[in-house]
Amino acid sequence: MYFIYEIEFFSNKSYLSNLIRAYAKQEQMKIDVIQGNDKIVMVFDQEDEQIEGFLNGMKDVLPASLFLGEGKHYFSKEKPSLLPIKKVNLPVNLAPCPTCQKEMFDVSSRRYYYPFTSCNHCGTQHPFLDRYPYDRAHTMMKFLIPCSHCQEEAKSNILRLDYPLISCIECGVAIRMLDKKSEHLALNKGDYRKLFEVSGRAIAAGKSVLMKTAHGYRKFFRPAVEYAPSESILLMADSNGFNTHLMMVTQEFNALLSIERPLLRIATKSDELKAIYGSSVEVKYPDDGMTILLAREIMNAGLQYIAYIECDADAEADFLVDFDLPINKQKDTKLFINQDEKLFVSGERIVFPTEVENSQNVVSVAHGLACVKSDNLSIIDSLDLFVPIQTDALHILENEQFEGNYSNGYRFPQWKASMMSVIAEHDKVGQKAIGVHFDSTLNFLYYNGKEVINVVPSIPFESDNLWNKISTLREGSDRLVINYKTAYPEVFERLDNLAGDMDVFKVTAIVLGLENESLEGISEQALSFLGKGGLQIDTRVKDNRFDNYAFLTSIMSYQLGGVENNFMCYSIYESFGDYIGEIVPQLIDKSNAKIITLTGETFANQSLYGRIKRTLGQYNPLMNKTLHIGQENAVYGALYL
């Protein structure tokens, strides 16, 4: 008889199952740990009296994770038959695990206030990767020789057995602090602690600190009404301040504190944050050693939050905290949560690197990412980490900058690869499907089992000569142009002089006078509307195709009528939801397809997502779960073109 304990784990990442194995070895427990596609299974001998103590102790070792779900236990006469996920040695980019964080704040530890503390199962490993395969010789740490303590630990510490990035204050990465007059180098525990203490106090006093982190340079400051740029991110140093300053659901709270540390847009709650950021703000919880140690000193200085801007090394600041080791920066991943649904929107960290099935010798390239075979595995990661690349075929996103000579290349559009990423992820290759791809444009797609066809493409939008196109749209449109010029002369002049290729959502944001002139800015405004039911934005569909100019004309008319921006933006998403809900059933009837796919980061909006659930919920539309719903999914979908 066996005692079985299962934990839902909706990812192919193996850092948690590996950590459980290491902990079991440390506790000298005989246990089989098997990871499947949606769970981690632990198989114990029923007669082992240490099981309860092991499971209780595991709570202190395992970190919270985005991918963790419910747990259950049962007895079985036979071991579960489960096809295990391959064990792949890929570098992670996570926050430190509970054990490593404990070391960072233990004054007796060799890693007291050492920001690069990590182990085989956690921490910022990927930023120090130079190229594959992942071992010390192929990381930036190859320049540092482990001290005798670390060399011994790599043989004896279960969590750091043969760990490629093992280091401590004695042999690891040195950091320094500079101001306009002097430079201070951290050489011992006291120096490291003092450096972060000075940084925290400086920010609390209103100064700015430019700090090199594992995620690139960040300029930290204390946000205020006078200074809180729209691109700044709120860093919650104290989790006790979440419920004071933010309107959060439990899923958002858990996600922010998970070891993956995603970026979320959260509604503001406290008057002080509303005054600074308005109705919502992008929020992070400290996500690497540098930021975690700074946050501790921010709390000691009496603050619950600060803010930062991602920037370059030459950004102006009162203080600079730096280190010499190069890093391989990943873009942060934005997460969208709707009730129990979690969707990766955009970015790289958390999701990549990842191992995928690829039976063909095909390399795909999109948005700086590549899927390349390495040691008989296909890995998706930054293109720069694969040198050299040899392949039978090369699939490249159209307009992607790609250096090198190749004769076996195939250029593909974003919408085609995005739809195939969902089809492949849900194992629906070869089955008919209708797809909706919505980023800066809206396209309706049909997959006939062999190829993806854009059956209802967007009407191209040209931002030049905008007023001429609007005035000739329909009878009376010329009067709208005259009235708008009188009411909003500055906006009129700017729209009259638009230059370059600009999407309709940026133009819409300009019309509404939004600080963030993008689709994200419109989404921010929509989030601040707390009512129900929106206006019907005119889409003037021609042959079922969305008309950008009719869309803008409708918005301008409502604006002249005094409609508030947040109500307008909410209505925009509701109208798109209704439009999509009208077209998709028509395409299903014509094609007899049984599958619907949704791709594009525009779907990461509460009002649009909710509307789609109401209009298309009966069809159970499919979206990416382990990959982004945004543009980054193309590198995977391109393998199936």
Side-chain angles (χ1 to χ4, degrees):
M1 186 71 71
Y2 297 95
F3 177 79
I4 315 294
Y5 189 82
E6 293 184 359
I7 311 176
E8 292 177 335
F9 191 70
F10 302 98
S11 172
N12 65 349
K13 308 295 183 184
S14 59
Y15 44 85
L16 252 62
S17 56
N18 288 338
L19 180 55
I20 295 171
R21 291 186 187 98
Y23 174 60
K25 190 172 183 179
Q26 175 183 294
E27 298 299 307
Q28 298 181 338
M29 286 287 293
K30 292 182 179 180
I31 173 178
D32 289 331
V33 181
I34 308 169
Q35 181 175 348
N37 289 324
D38 57 1
K39 59 187 172 183
I40 297 173
V41 180
M42 288 165 268
V43 183
F44 300 84
D45 188 319
Q46 185 203 349
E47 297 178 359
D48 197 325
E49 298 177 355
Q50 297 177 317
I51 293 177
E52 184 177 355
F54 175 83
L55 292 176
N56 287 332
M58 194 170 67
K59 296 176 183 177
D60 298 326
V61 175
L62 279 187
S65 172
L66 283 175
F67 306 113
L68 276 176
E70 298 290 329
K72 67 177 183 179
H73 67 273
Y74 56 92
F75 294 94
S76 174
K77 293 182 179 179
E78 298 179 354
K79 287 187 178 182
S81 58
L82 191 68
L83 186 63
I85 286 178
K86 299 175 185 175
K87 297 178 184 178
V88 185
N89 185 29
L90 297 178
V92 299
N93 197 357
L94 307 166
C97 68
T99 303
C100 287
Q101 286 201 52
K102 186 177 180 180
E103 279 187 89
M104 292 168 66
F105 295 109
D106 180 358
V107 70
S108 66
S109 167
R110 302 191 333 271
R111 298 184 176 89
Y112 179 64
Y113 267 71
Y114 179 60
F116 307 101
T117 301
S118 58
C119 70
N120 277 312
H121 319 290
C122 76
T124 49
Q125 303 173 22
H126 189 276
F128 299 106
L129 180 65
D130 182 42
R131 59 188 171 89
Y132 283 101
Y134 174 46
D135 52 39
R136 194 175 184 96
H138 293 123
T139 70
M140 306 305 179
M141 287 284 188
K142 64 187 175 186
F143 301 112
L144 305 174
I145 300 175
C147 64
S148 59
H149 296 294
C150 283
Q151 290 182 36
E152 178 59 32
E153 187 181 6
K155 300 175 184 177
S156 59
N157 186 336
I158 299 299
L159 298 182
R160 295 197 179 97
L161 289 178
D162 300 319
Y163 180 44
L165 303 183
I166 194 165
S167 65
C168 67
I169 288 178
E170 182 179 337
C171 62
V173 184
I175 58 176
R176 62 184 182 274
M177 186 174 193
L178 302 89
D179 58 21
K180 293 179 172 63
K181 298 179 181 179
S182 59
E183 177 179 348
H184 306 278
L185 186 65
L187 299 174
N188 54 48
K189 295 179 184 180
D191 292 339
Y192 275 81
R193 171 67 188 268
K194 187 68 174 179
L195 186 148
F196 286 100
E197 184 180 5
V198 171
S199 298
R201 288 181 178 177
I203 295 171
K207 303 292 185 180
S208 59
V209 175
L210 177 63
M211 182 176 288
K212 184 178 182 180
T213 73
H215 307 306
Y217 283 92
R218 291 172 171 176
K219 180 179 177 179
F220 294 94
F221 58 93
R222 187 173 181 177
V225 175
E226 299 78 20
Y227 183 70
S230 59
E231 71 271 21
S232 64
I233 294 169
L234 185 72
L235 182 75
M236 291 299 302
D238 185 357
S239 60
N240 292 323
F242 279 3
N243 291 330
T244 302
H245 299 290
L246 301 167
M247 295 178 63
M248 306 175 64
V249 296
T250 302
Q251 293 91 331
E252 291 171 330
F253 181 91
N254 293 339
L256 285 173
L257 268 63
S258 70
I259 193 171
E260 291 85 11
R261 299 289 205 273
L263 182 63
L264 271 76
R265 178 161 290 280
I266 307 288
T268 53
K269 181 178 180 181
S270 66
D271 291 339
E272 59 187 88
L273 272 192
K274 285 182 180 294
I276 297 171
Y277 286 106
S279 59
S280 68
V281 61
E282 288 192 321
V283 182
K284 283 282 288 187
Y285 195 58
D287 56 356
D288 81 313
M290 299 289 285
T291 315
I292 286 172
L293 294 172
L294 176 63
R296 170 60 67 92
E297 295 306 322
I298 289 297
M299 291 170 59
N300 290 341
L303 301 181
Q304 290 188 316
Y305 62 83
I306 55 174
Y308 69 87
I309 299 170
E310 295 183 342
C311 54
D312 297 324
D314 56 358
E316 284 290 326
D318 297 302
F319 296 92
L320 170 65
V321 177
D322 208 351
F323 56 89
D324 290 330
L325 213 60
I327 61 167
N328 180 30
K329 177 186 174 183
Q330 286 188 303
K331 294 190 290 289
D332 214 344
T333 287
K334 296 180 181 179
L335 184 72
F336 172 72
I337 295 178
N338 182 281
Q339 297 179 357
D340 291 330
E341 292 282 343
K342 299 186 186 76
L343 301 173
F344 296 114
V345 182
S346 62
E348 296 171 343
R349 197 181 63 81
I350 304 173
V351 176
F352 303 116
T354 189
E355 188 264 337
V356 298
E357 291 187 6
N358 180 14
S359 58
Q360 308 175 70
N361 190 17
V362 174
V363 169
S364 59
V365 178
H367 305 291
L369 295 164
C371 182
V372 178
K373 281 198 172 183
S374 177
D375 292 338
N376 298 318
L377 296 173
S378 286
I379 300 171
I380 298 178
D381 206 341
S382 172
L383 175 63
D384 298 335
L385 298 175
F386 302 102
V387 179
I389 295 176
Q390 295 182 344
T391 182
D392 295 334
L394 187 62
H395 295 179
I396 312 172
L397 179 69
E398 58 185 13
N399 302 321
E400 182 87 3
Q401 296 296 318
F402 185 82
E403 297 181 1
N405 297 319
Y406 56 92
S407 58
N408 54 350
Y410 162 69
R411 292 279 181 173
F412 61 85
Q414 175 75 46
W415 48 265
K416 182 175 288 189
S418 287
M419 183 177 186
M420 284 310 303
S421 73
V422 181
I423 294 290
E425 187 177 330
H426 290 273
D427 197 25
K428 303 295 184 182
V429 175
Q431 302 181 40
K432 291 182 179 180
I434 297 298
V436 183
H437 182 73
F438 196 2
D439 45 24
S440 59
T441 59
L442 175 59
N443 297 284
F444 294 91
L445 316 172
Y446 171 55
Y447 173 59
N448 60 14
K450 295 181 179 180
E451 64 176 329
V452 178
I453 304 165
N454 197 345
V455 291
V456 189
S458 290
I459 298 174
F461 176 68
E462 299 174 350
S463 56
D464 60 318
N465 298 317
L466 183 64
W467 292 118
N468 180 59
K469 293 164 184 169
I470 289 178
S471 64
T472 57
L473 185 65
R474 60 168 69 93
E475 184 179 351
S477 294
D478 54 341
R479 292 194 298 274
L480 171 69
V481 173
I482 295 172
N483 293 337
Y484 198 88
K485 182 177 182 180
T486 302
Y488 302 99
E490 294 181 1
V491 177
F492 184 93
E493 183 177 356
R494 185 174 176 194
L495 295 179
D496 199 32
N497 294 282
L498 292 177
D501 187 19
M502 199 172 293
D503 67 65
V504 69
F505 298 110
K506 181 174 178 63
V507 175
T508 299
I510 293 172
V511 167
L512 298 177
L514 304 183
E515 182 180 358
N516 186 350
E517 295 179 346
S518 66
L519 182 62
E520 186 173 345
I522 298 173
S523 182
E524 292 170 18
Q525 284 290 316
L527 186 63
S528 68
F529 180 69
L530 302 179
K532 292 183 178 180
L535 301 164
Q536 184 60 51
I537 305 296
D538 184 9
T539 54
R540 190 170 177 251
V541 178
K542 292 180 179 178
D543 301 324
N544 286 336
R545 300 173 72 186
F546 176 73
D547 191 311
N548 298 279
Y549 305 107
F551 173 74
L552 285 172
T553 300
S554 182
I555 289 171
M556 291 174 182
S557 298
Y558 282 127
Q559 189 180 28
L560 287 170
V563 174
E564 295 290 334
N565 274 356
N566 60 352
F567 187 26
M568 187 93 75
C569 292
Y570 176 84
S571 301
I572 287 172
Y573 282 101
E574 277 217 334
S575 296
F576 274 121
D578 290 340
Y579 173 46
I580 293 169
E582 176 186 345
I583 300 300
V584 168
Q586 296 178 28
L587 296 176
I588 289 176
D589 289 341
K590 292 179 180 179
S591 65
N592 293 320
K594 305 296 183 184
I595 301 167
I596 297 175
T597 69
L598 305 176
T599 54
E601 61 183 80
T602 307
F603 285 110
N605 173 275
Q606 296 292 353
S607 52
L608 175 59
Y609 190 84
R611 201 69 167 186
I612 291 295
K613 283 290 187 182
R614 288 193 291 273
T615 58
L616 298 180
Q618 60 179 315
Y619 300 104
N620 296 316
L622 304 178
M623 301 182 77
N624 291 109
K625 295 298 183 183
T626 60
L627 298 171
H628 301 88
I629 64 172
Q631 61 185 18
E632 291 84 358
N633 60 19
V635 71
Y636 175 59
L639 298 175
Y640 295 87
L641 298 179

